[in-house]
Structure formats: C-alpha cells, structure tokens
Amino acid sequence: IVQSIKGELVLEVKLVKDGGDYSKFYIPNHDEQLVDEPIPNPSLPTILSGFFWAVSMLAWIGGSWEYLKYVGLLSCAFGLPSIGLKAFRTIRRFQFDTNVLMFVAAAGAIALQEYNEAAAVTFLFSISEWLEVRATTRARSALSAIVRLRPEKANLLLPGSKEIVVIPATAVPKGAVVSV
C-alpha cells in the first residue's frame, strides 16, 4: 500500500509467506581473500631466460664485457621453444599470430648476431604471456567470488497487490521488481 504522508511516499509491506532461510546468505569478510585458484608463478624457463638476458645486457659496458652478448643465446634457448611450438601450430593452421611474429623477430635478431635483442624479445614475450595468464586467473577468481554472493532466495514484489513473496532466486522472471 503506497501512501503519501506530508509529501513523502511510504510503502507499507505485508509479508504473506516467508520461505527464506537467511542462514544461506553469504556475506564475505573483507579480510578474507577471495582467490580460488592460486596465481601462477613464472615458469622456470621464463625465469632463466630473464636471468640470462640481464647478464647479456652487461655486454653494453663494452671492453672485456663484450663476450657476454653470447649469453643472450642461452636466454633464447630457454625462451624460444615454447614460442616456437605455438608458432609452428599456428602456421600449420595457415594462420599468423604474435607467436609467429615473435619467433621470426628473435630468429632474425640471432641471424644478425644481435643476441641481446633476441634475448630481449624472447624474455619480454615470455613474461607477457605469464602476465596474461596471471590477469586471466585473477579475473576468473573475482567473477567466481561475485557469483558466490548470489542469494538463494529473492523477495518478489507482486505488481497487482504489492505483496512480497519469497521465491528461489533462480525463479525470478525477467523484468520483475524485487525488494532488497
């Protein structure tokens, strides 16, 4: 029943049937961590690729450090196999993607004897793949946490009589008015 008292609308609600079990509602503690899946760490080849790339960068000092540019080949040896396998699978499907592009860029840098550049391309692409997996895992966990917040019951406001009926949340029709 809607009444106007001193210019304010007041809704009086008569509870006809209460089938709600409020113990089923989940209210998360803000201190709780809502992560279901563990966030993956970078793979060992990615870590080794980064380490050897960092060592190969010391060749930029010059002089007796110049030989460290060959350590960039170790970085490529650890980082390129996974990229190469994905690139090969893509080429077999007669497609072209970033894996093919990165593999060609690293192979070209090696052919030009720019081992530091090849190591940089290899490591940075490997770490970007890890960051993508990490972001996807976190997004999936956040969505799972949101889904867990869904209540089991809903308070449906009947359009004609303005009465509230408690029904399962999955049975709420599209366009219905619910009381929260």
Side-chain angles (χ1 to χ4, degrees), residues 55-98:
V55 171
S56 75
M57 293 301 288
L58 294 174
W60 287 94
I61 295 173
S64 63
W65 295 80
E66 183 104 12
Y67 73 94
L68 288 176
K69 75 177 186 177
Y70 296 105
V71 176
L73 289 172
L74 283 173
S75 175
C76 293
F78 284 107
L80 272 182
S82 67
I83 297 169
L85 285 173
K86 292 174 192 169
F88 179 70
R89 280 188 237 131
T90 303
I91 291 293
R92 276 191 4 206
R93 292 189 313 259
F94 300 105
Q95 294 177 343
F96 189 81
D97 68 356
T98 55

Side-chain angles (χ1 to χ4, degrees), residues 4-117:
S4 178
I5 301 174
K6 295 182 184 177
E8 293 182 21
L9 290 178
V10 176
L11 177 65
E12 291 181 22
V13 178
K14 178 182 169 191
L15 189 58
V16 176
K17 179 181 175 189
D18 184 9
D21 180 7
Y22 296 104
S23 65
K24 292 184 180 179
F25 287 96
Y26 172 72
I27 299 173
N29 182 354
H30 291 293
D31 298 333
E32 226 177 276
Q33 189 174 5
L34 296 175
V35 176
D36 289 336
E37 299 178 49
I39 296 176
N41 293 324
S43 65
L44 183 61
T46 299
I47 293 169
L48 290 173
S49 177
F51 173 75
F52 289 124
W53 171 57
V55 171
S56 75
M57 293 301 288
L58 294 174
W60 287 94
I61 295 173
S64 63
W65 295 80
E66 183 104 12
Y67 73 94
L68 288 176
K69 75 177 186 177
Y70 296 105
V71 176
L73 289 172
L74 283 173
S75 175
C76 293
F78 284 107
L80 272 182
S82 67
I83 297 169
L85 285 173
K86 292 174 192 169
F88 179 70
R89 280 188 237 131
T90 303
I91 291 293
R92 276 191 4 206
R93 292 189 313 259
F94 300 105
Q95 294 177 343
F96 189 81
D97 68 356
T98 55
N99 291 303
V100 176
L101 183 64
M102 289 299 126
F103 187 77
V104 170
I110 290 171
L112 294 172
Q113 296 182 358
E114 293 291 336
Y115 306 123
N116 294 337
E117 300 299 326

Side-chain angles (χ1 to χ4, degrees), residues 85-160:
L85 285 173
K86 292 174 192 169
F88 179 70
R89 280 188 237 131
T90 303
I91 291 293
R92 276 191 4 206
R93 292 189 313 259
F94 300 105
Q95 294 177 343
F96 189 81
D97 68 356
T98 55
N99 291 303
V100 176
L101 183 64
M102 289 299 126
F103 187 77
V104 170
I110 290 171
L112 294 172
Q113 296 182 358
E114 293 291 336
Y115 306 123
N116 294 337
E117 300 299 326
V121 165
T122 302
F123 170 67
L124 293 175
F125 190 69
S126 295
I127 202 75
S128 73
E129 285 182 334
W130 169 71
L131 288 171
E132 180 183 341
V133 167
R134 184 175 183 262
T136 303
T137 302
R138 291 185 70 184
R140 189 179 302 119
S141 295
L143 286 174
S144 295
I146 290 171
V147 168
R148 280 195 310 268
L149 294 175
R150 179 183 56 107
E152 297 294 321
K153 303 282 183 181
N155 298 326
L156 183 65
L157 186 61
L158 297 178

